[in-house]
Amino acid sequence: MQDDLKLGAYHYHLPEKNIAQFPSEKRDHSRLLVLNRTTGLIEHFLFHQISGLFNPGDLLVLNDTKVFPARLHGRKESGGKAEVFLLGYPAPGVSEQSKSDKLRFRCEALIKASRPPRKQSIIIFNAHSFCQMIEECGRGRWLIELVLDADTDLDSLLDGQGEVPLPPYIKREEGCWNSDRQRYQTVYANQPGAVAAPTAGLHFTNDLIEKLKGNGVGTAPITLHVGYGTFAPVQQQIISKHRIHREYIEISESTAELVNRTKANGGKIWAVGTTTVRALESSTDENHRLIPVQDWCELYITPGFKFRVIDHLITNFHLPESSLLFLVSALCGRETLLTCYREAIEEDYRFYSYGDAMAIIS
């Protein structure tokens, strides 16, 4: 257990060829490694065969967050190129818009340019929109204000100027990201606000979800807007000292009721992705019942954590020494998880966001 707290204990070697650069041709034809954490048995399937693991009365909990085109390219007043990476979906600004012919929205952003920006400097996107640096927030982040002509729509700006914010290990040539707008998104995404996809959900198709429903499996949505911090490296050698990023979550009364009823009736809770796990496990009362919530989630799950809500987990294969790897280890054990990863590499599985999937069942 002592090694479970050491960052270096979560290292593994992954050949570069196993880092998936593109999704599988069909969403539900990615591969699936299934670990029975009770017996230790490891089996291999295609993802669409996961329906055979469910029982009538089980509940599938899905994160319905939607990735928005958060990476914007523009030019400084001097003419130099600049990139603005929005760290959250912009909210209406504090300006009294009734006194202006402009629309204003605020959020934090990372700015990439040849020289660091200055307060009040602007980056121009097109003839109808620009952003202004309001306040430096540290670690390269700025509070910015997006300023749009009154007849310009925020979504039009993002859709027209923005790029899908793919993880840094996925490489794209300039102008070759159009297919990612559809594939780096779950089929059930409908709540804009994420800068990274809840990637375990990328394997589901509408047909597969309908098949599960036809087999007596319920579905319930939660929302956790995945933030840029999901890619932040852990730098503390003792992982308990790491501070997790916070992300906004919403759990409705109907979802809380479905989860509690399912557990009371003996059904199992299937969490799709680590984001769903964090949302569910952070939102219980003293009796371990799920409660409705609209709040920020800062739950950090490491080995030793006692799971109160979920029974089974569907997830992707995660980066070495990452907080996501700690979370999955807390469910099945670090050594067991690394054994699964070694077997997946031997079997030539594809890793990370566009990679294959893993199911951990009990």
Side-chain angles (χ1 to χ4, degrees):
M1 182 64 184
Q2 191 65 29
D3 282 348
D4 290 348
L5 299 179
K6 296 178 180 178
L7 181 63
Y10 294 88
H11 179 77
Y12 66 89
H13 173 69
L14 181 70
E16 189 171 349
K17 68 181 181 67
N18 291 90
I19 301 176
Q21 295 298 310
F22 295 93
S24 58
E25 186 175 346
K26 296 182 179 180
R27 287 180 183 266
D28 61 358
H29 279 57
S30 53
R31 298 173 70 186
L32 175 69
L33 183 152
V34 178
L35 167 68
N36 186 314
R37 62 189 176 102
T38 303
T39 65
L41 178 66
I42 299 173
E43 297 180 283
H44 303 278
F45 300 93
L46 292 179
F47 191 84
H48 65 84
Q49 296 173 305
I50 198 171
S51 59
L53 301 177
F54 287 77
N55 292 313
D58 287 353
L59 183 67
L60 184 70
V61 185
L62 307 162
N63 183 4
D64 65 3
T65 189
K66 186 174 183 178
V67 181
F68 71 98
R71 196 185 300 275
L72 299 169
H73 293 280
R75 290 189 176 274
K76 298 182 291 184
E77 292 174 280
S78 63
K81 293 182 179 180
E83 178 184 291
V84 179
F85 189 121
L86 306 178
L87 298 181
Y89 196 79
V94 297
S95 303
E96 292 187 35
Q97 296 184 9
S98 60
K99 295 182 179 180
S100 171
D101 60 350
K102 302 290 186 181
L103 300 176
R104 300 173 186 272
F105 302 86
R106 287 195 173 191
C107 66
E108 287 191 2
L110 291 172
I111 310 298
K112 184 178 180 181
S114 56
R115 292 183 179 180
R118 301 185 312 275
K119 192 171 183 177
Q120 302 302 318
S121 63
I122 68 172
I123 295 172
I124 302 166
F125 301 122
N126 55 39
H128 308 287
S129 60
F130 64 89
C131 75
Q132 186 169 37
M133 306 299 115
I134 303 300
E135 184 178 351
E136 192 169 5
C137 303
R139 294 182 296 176
R141 296 175 296 123
W142 279 84
L143 174 65
I144 67 166
E145 186 166 69
L146 292 169
V147 183
L148 286 63
D149 285 351
D151 58 354
T152 302
D153 181 75
L154 175 61
D155 287 334
S156 297
L157 169 67
L158 297 179
D159 290 339
Q161 300 281 137
E163 296 175 7
V164 175
L166 294 173
Y169 46 77
I170 295 179
K171 309 301 181 184
R172 291 286 183 272
E173 303 247 337
E174 187 173 348
C176 295
W177 55 81
N178 284 340
S179 64
D180 296 303
R181 284 181 178 254
Q182 188 257 336
R183 289 305 303 270
Y184 193 62
Q185 199 84 267
T186 64
V187 298
Y188 46 80
N190 63 17
Q191 300 294 327
V195 300
T199 54
L202 298 180
H203 308 283
F204 282 91
T205 64
N206 288 319
D207 287 345
L208 178 55
I209 292 172
E210 289 304 312
K211 180 178 181 179
L212 289 170
K213 290 180 179 178
N215 292 343
V217 176
T219 63
I222 61 93
T223 302
L224 183 146
H225 291 317
V226 189
Y228 184 77
T230 193
F231 301 121
V234 177
Q235 297 179 329
Q236 298 287 347
Q237 293 304 307
I238 302 300
I239 63 172
S240 57
K241 296 181 180 180
H242 175 65
R243 184 174 179 181
I244 197 78
H245 53 283
R246 71 174 195 162
E247 294 163 316
Y248 182 75
I249 62 172
E250 290 188 8
I251 298 176
S252 67
E253 288 188 18
S254 58
T255 288
E257 188 176 311
L258 263 174
V259 168
N260 294 329
R261 188 190 316 140
T262 298
K263 294 185 75 69
N265 292 338
K268 301 300 184 182
I269 305 300
W270 290 76
V272 180
T274 56
T275 60
T276 299
V277 173
R278 290 182 66 225
L280 293 176
E281 295 293 337
S282 68
S283 307
T284 60
D285 62 18
E286 64 275 8
N287 297 316
H288 298 174
R289 289 175 56 84
L290 190 66
I291 57 175
V293 68
Q294 294 181 355
D295 204 352
W296 292 93
C297 175
E298 296 181 279
L299 178 63
Y300 180 35
I301 297 177
T302 59
F305 181 84
K306 302 300 181 185
F307 292 88
R308 300 175 291 273
V309 181
I310 74 158
D311 299 293
H312 309 310
L313 170 63
I314 300 166
T315 188
N316 276 21
F317 294 92
H318 303 293
L319 275 73
E321 300 183 355
S322 65
S323 62
L324 305 182
L325 204 63
F326 309 158
L327 184 154
V328 182
S329 295
L331 184 64
C332 67
R334 177 183 58 84
E335 292 182 356
T336 298
L337 182 63
L338 292 177
T339 296
C340 291
Y341 275 43
R342 285 192 292 270
E343 182 160 331
I345 293 169
E346 289 171 2
E347 295 291 330
D348 207 27
Y349 273 63
R350 302 164 71 247
F351 275 53
Y352 305 161
S353 294
Y354 271 152
D356 296 314
M358 179 179 185
I360 301 171
I361 63 175
S362 57

